[in-house]
Amino acid sequence: RLARLLDEIGHLLEGLGRFIVDFWREDPHFLSLSLGQYFSLIMILISVIVILKLYTSEFTKIIGKTY
């Protein structure tokens, strides 16, 4: 499970990095974001959903709160 968590965190960081780097590129923009940034947002969103879905119980054990 740790390997899966590290893999998802890697995808999250890759998406964040791509999103930030695309600000310095000279691509055509649609609604002030480039196509690469839209794909990066999708990757970030999917990574966050997978991390939360798989590890919600572990996060609540660490925090000590249940909702």
Side-chain angles (χ1 to χ4, degrees):
R1 290 183 59 89
L2 179 61
R4 178 72 188 258
L5 176 63
L6 293 176
D7 187 44
E8 289 303 323
I9 290 173
H11 289 140
L12 178 66
L13 292 175
E14 181 183 358
L16 287 171
R18 286 183 57 180
F19 186 82
I20 292 169
V21 166
D22 274 341
F23 276 114
W24 284 281
R25 294 189 56 194
E26 295 294 330
D27 290 339
H29 295 299
F30 177 71
L31 296 176
S32 72
L33 294 176
S34 69
L35 185 61
Q37 286 174 319
Y38 284 114
F39 287 131
S40 297
L41 286 175
I42 292 169
M43 184 185 334
I44 292 168
L45 181 65
I46 290 172
S47 296
V48 168
I49 289 171
V50 169
I51 289 171
L52 290 176
K53 186 171 183 139
L54 291 176
Y55 298 99
T56 302
S57 62
E58 283 84 0
F59 290 146
T60 56
K61 287 178 189 176
I62 293 170
I63 297 171
K65 298 178 183 177
T66 56
Y67 297 101

